[in-house]
Amino acid sequence: MENNETSRDRPNQYTDTQTDMKTAEIATSLKLANPVLRSNAPLIELESVYKTYKMGAMEVRALEDINLNIDTGEYVAIMGQSGSGKSTLMHILGCLDVPTSGTYRLNGIDVGKMDDNQLAQIRNRQIGFVFQQFHLLPRLPAWKNVELPLLYAGERNHTSRREKAERALAAVGLKDRISHRPTELSGGQQQRVAIARALVTNPSIILADEPTGNLASTQADEIMGIFESLHQQGRTVIIITHEPDIANRAHRLVRIRDGHMLGDEVHQQ
Amino acid sequence: MNWIETIKSALDSLVERRTRSLLTMLGILIGIVAVILTVGLGEGAQGKVSSAISSLGTNLLIVTPGSVSTGGIRGGLGSSSTLTLADANALNSKVDCPDIAYVSAVMQKNLLLTAGSANWTAPVQGVSPSYLTIRDRQVVSGKAFTQNDVTTHADVALVGSTVAQNLFGFSSPVGQTMNLAGVPFTIIGELNTAGASANANQDNTVLIPVTTGEDLFGARGPYANSVSSILISAKSSSAMGAAYEEANSLLLQRHAITNPSQADFTITPQTSLLSTATSVSKTLTVLLVGIAAIALLVGGIGVMNIMLVSVTERIREIGLRKALGATPGVILRQFLIEATVLGILGGIFGVAIGVIGALVLPHFVSQPIAISSLAITGSVVVAAGIGLIFGVYPASRAARLSPIDALRSE
């Protein structure tokens, strides 16, 4: 990805140090021996990743020979039609699933060999999910939904959890909707709560799966605007979509079809 | 996620599905109420039986005619009349029977009592003066009859409170006259109130000197001079065995029986009555508790059923929680706590209703129900355990769910 390297005009110093600190912290929390600490390593490294599902006697190859590096601070869209393998790729990137073969290094740590508990910790600390269906818990007020990842992170201080949740909600423009339940919010607002929930643990990656799929176009614009500003703040944003309009807003477009990567292009905005 | 947060979240989810939670708890609750009431009933009945038997007297041996161990044709206990007043007098000998403190022959017949225009039927017992000591009865007004009354065949009587009330209302019976089978008797004393024993109201009784009793209903017929039983009081509870042996050998000798298995009388220690009666009620308690345990088991299966439904229903929530970083252990804990809370709440409400039942029911069924603290604490622990055990399968199913499949399911 030579062209990527040149496209990044952000100063690397700050984010890389941050990444290394994060790696060390995670390695300690997962009790991993000898974590690979490379200050110039990409955030995400996929090396000849295959994913095969067994459906009865048949083997379905969902991903074949995927090689993809994503650096800290990039704004990437992964685009493909349904059945192309983009959801499988998203599951692997999000540590919801592990590759059948090949390696996936996140922050220099090989997550392919991790067990369920370690994967849960990686998801909790490194990845912020945004789903098409929002997936908010309907009985909880907005701030309690946002607080959930902090609970699983073992954050014991109630006040600090609430403060962090409120700050994340303010960051997506929902300062005055903190105590509303999801049913009292519009679709766009619900998705913004979900984005706040993804932000609250300050993860390495914001991973959004068809984030505008259930929204009217004006609300979709709002949401894409939020992702744009998150990117401007230096966050890594990955959006999985089948809509070219959405995909074209990202700064880098990875196309996928039938489990293969078709193209990887950078848009100068 | 720490315990407090997990418990809060479990409670939230139970409250949200409150109708279902209540119905699930009801299963446990009914089981617990059944356990508390049956254990209480069993203990109450046992207590009642043992206190009734203890009230018969202390260190008591009861000699009845007839046997329980001979071959050939045998009548039931008390159907033959082989015991005589002379047997009773012989047992009273300090030389032959040093471990026997008191002996009283008892002759009994139900008779019509009349006093003025009132009449009443009660068992009339001809007894020795020591009968009151043996049976631990007191004369609350007037005086008891003496050995002299026995010797002179005096027509005097002691009455129980039931008899006194039915013949004389609330006025004192002492000094009054009543007719027994046409013979006028002077009432010289009233007995204390003793309540109901194992099989009879001990206050519905008339005591007269044993010799007078002999005159009144033993003088004619084939059973002349026979007594219906002989009560023996041993000197102490440790002397019961020795007293039993002395009475047994003396009676065998007097009845000229060489083979003890051919004995024409039976000596029953009060303790054996007690253990027989309590073992019967214990068996009954075990049976009832078994049935109650089945009710609890059914309640537990109800918990499992509802938790499985809950896991299926909340599959997307589980998927989301896993995506946000919940480990399988945290999910397992959440569902186990929900199931255990269902069990504990069912147990607590069950105990509350069970205790209220134990307090209220005896007013309707005239059976004492003991409130056993063991049954109460045991019930809550068992209910929590049932929730926990029957929650394991649903919870582990939730914990094993793959986050992808869970998030995808509609």
Side-chain angles (χ1 to χ4, degrees), chain B residues 36 44 51 75 151 201 228 235 244 251 324 341 368 389:
Chain B
I36 288 189
S51 76
T151 317
N201 176 0
S228 48
K235 281 196 163 145
Y244 177 92
L251 288 175
L324 297 183
V341 166
I389 288 164

Side-chain angles (χ1 to χ4, degrees), chain B residues 37-356:
Chain B
L37 288 184
T38 50
V39 170
L41 262 175
E43 289 193 359
Q46 230 166 296
K48 190 177 161 186
V49 166
S50 60
S51 76
I53 289 175
S54 310
S55 77
L56 291 178
T58 47
N59 308 329
L60 187 65
L61 294 166
I62 302 163
V63 189
T64 44
S67 77
V68 289
S69 56
T70 54
I73 300 167
R74 293 188 287 124
L77 285 176
S79 61
S80 53
S81 297
T82 52
L83 294 175
T84 62
L85 206 51
D87 286 336
N89 290 333
L91 287 167
N92 217 356
S93 149
K94 297 294 170 229
V95 181
D96 290 334
C97 308
D99 289 297
I100 291 176
Y102 303 103
V103 176
S104 171
V106 179
M107 314 174 100
Q108 182 171 328
K109 195 168 190 182
N110 277 355
L111 288 180
L112 180 71
L113 323 174
T114 55
S117 59
N119 70 81
W120 184 247
T121 304
V124 176
Q125 293 179 302
V127 297
S128 316
S130 57
Y131 177 88
L132 293 177
T133 318
I134 295 172
R135 294 292 306 272
D136 196 23
R137 299 294 300 264
Q138 285 87 39
V139 176
V140 286
S141 66
K143 58 182 173 56
F145 51 78
T146 60
Q147 193 57 44
N148 188 42
D149 292 323
V150 174
T151 317
T152 60
H153 296 231
D155 290 338
V156 292
L158 301 172
V159 294
S161 58
T162 306
V163 171
Q165 246 171 55
N166 280 288
L167 289 181
F168 306 107
F170 292 99
S171 60
S172 169
V174 178
Q176 308 254 28
T177 302
M178 67 175 172
N179 283 308
L180 298 185
V183 181
F185 276 71
T186 307
I187 298 172
I188 55 169
E190 187 180 354
L191 295 166
N192 66 328
T193 305
S197 84
N199 49 15
N201 176 0
Q202 299 187 74
D203 296 323
N204 187 27
T205 190
V206 175
L207 302 180
I208 57 176
V210 65
T211 47
T212 318
E214 206 179 4
D215 297 343
L216 195 64
F217 39 76
R220 43 187 192 278
Y223 299 142
N225 294 321
S226 71
V227 297
S228 48
S229 63
I230 300 173
L231 302 183
I232 299 172
S233 176
K235 281 196 163 145
S236 67
S237 58
S238 57
M240 289 277 283
Y244 177 92
E245 287 305 324
E246 289 158 13
N248 197 38
S249 59
L250 180 73
L251 288 175
L252 286 173
Q253 186 197 328
R254 282 182 56 83
H255 293 196
I257 296 164
T258 46
N259 182 355
S261 67
Q262 302 285 322
D264 57 358
F265 58 89
T266 306
I267 307 178
T268 315
Q270 178 200 6
T271 45
S272 82
L273 282 179
L274 193 63
S275 64
T276 309
T278 51
S279 82
V280 167
S281 66
K282 259 183 193 153
T283 312
L284 198 68
T285 306
V286 168
L287 189 78
L288 288 172
V289 170
I291 294 169
I294 291 172
L296 263 182
L297 187 73
V298 173
I301 293 170
V303 169
M304 176 147 77
N305 196 7
I306 282 306
M307 290 311 293
L308 281 175
V309 170
S310 177
V311 168
T312 312
E313 221 177 44
R314 288 152 72 188
I315 191 160
R316 279 169 48 159
E317 176 191 327
I318 296 165
L320 171 78
R321 287 181 185 273
K322 288 195 153 189
L324 297 183
T327 57
V330 168
I331 299 290
L332 183 83
R333 203 158 71 183
Q334 181 181 349
F335 281 89
L336 276 185
I337 288 178
E338 279 187 33
T340 311
V341 166
L342 277 179
I344 291 176
L345 289 182
I348 290 174
F349 288 133
V351 163
I353 293 177
V355 168
I356 292 173

Side-chain angles (χ1 to χ4, degrees), chain A residues 56-246:
Chain A
M58 274 219 318
E59 285 207 337
V60 180
R61 295 195 151 181
L63 291 178
E64 283 187 72
D65 197 22
I66 303 291
N67 291 282
L68 178 66
N69 285 6
I70 297 172
D71 285 306
T72 302
E74 279 198 87
Y75 184 10
V76 186
I78 295 171
M79 190 175 80
Q81 295 308 306
S82 64
S84 61
K86 65 177 193 305
S87 293
T88 307
L89 183 56
M90 176 248 167
H91 293 149
I92 288 178
L93 288 176
C95 296
L96 291 165
D97 208 348
V98 291
T100 311
S101 69
T103 50
Y104 169 25
R105 278 191 290 274
L106 177 62
N107 270 321
I109 296 171
D110 186 353
V111 297
K113 307 286 182 287
M114 288 186 169
D115 66 19
D116 283 353
N117 287 326
Q118 292 170 321
L119 286 175
Q121 285 202 36
I122 291 277
R123 289 196 294 270
N124 182 242
R125 287 167 173 72
Q126 302 263 59
I127 295 154
F129 288 99
V130 179
F131 300 98
Q132 181 177 2
Q133 316 283 350
F134 319 142
H135 284 315
L136 300 175
L137 299 184
R139 63 176 185 274
L140 300 183
W143 76 269
K144 283 218 158 194
N145 266 292
V146 174
E147 176 202 46
L148 274 177
L150 295 175
L151 284 172
Y152 292 124
E155 170 110 41
R156 277 164 186 276
N157 186 327
H158 174 265
T159 327
S160 132
R161 283 202 308 263
R162 170 139 197 172
E163 273 170 11
K164 285 184 184 174
E166 285 179 359
R167 226 178 299 145
L169 281 167
V172 295
L174 288 180
K175 210 180 169 67
D176 52 349
R177 296 282 189 281
I178 280 164
S179 299
H180 287 56
R181 282 163 203 271
T183 44
E184 300 160 345
L185 298 171
S186 73
Q189 287 171 328
Q190 289 185 48
Q191 193 61 302
R192 281 197 267 166
V193 173
I195 294 173
R197 183 179 62 193
L199 289 175
V200 76
T201 49
N202 198 22
S204 307
I205 310 163
I206 304 288
L207 194 56
D209 184 15
E210 303 276 10
T212 58
N214 273 13
L215 297 177
S217 61
T218 49
Q219 292 178 326
D221 276 347
E222 270 176 37
I223 296 300
M224 291 315 288
I226 291 175
F227 284 125
E228 177 69 34
S229 70
L230 290 176
H231 163 62
Q232 312 241 312
Q233 292 159 22
R235 290 182 189 274
T236 313
V237 179
I238 303 174
I239 291 178
I240 286 92
T241 183
H242 70 280
E243 291 177 75
D245 288 355
I246 299 295

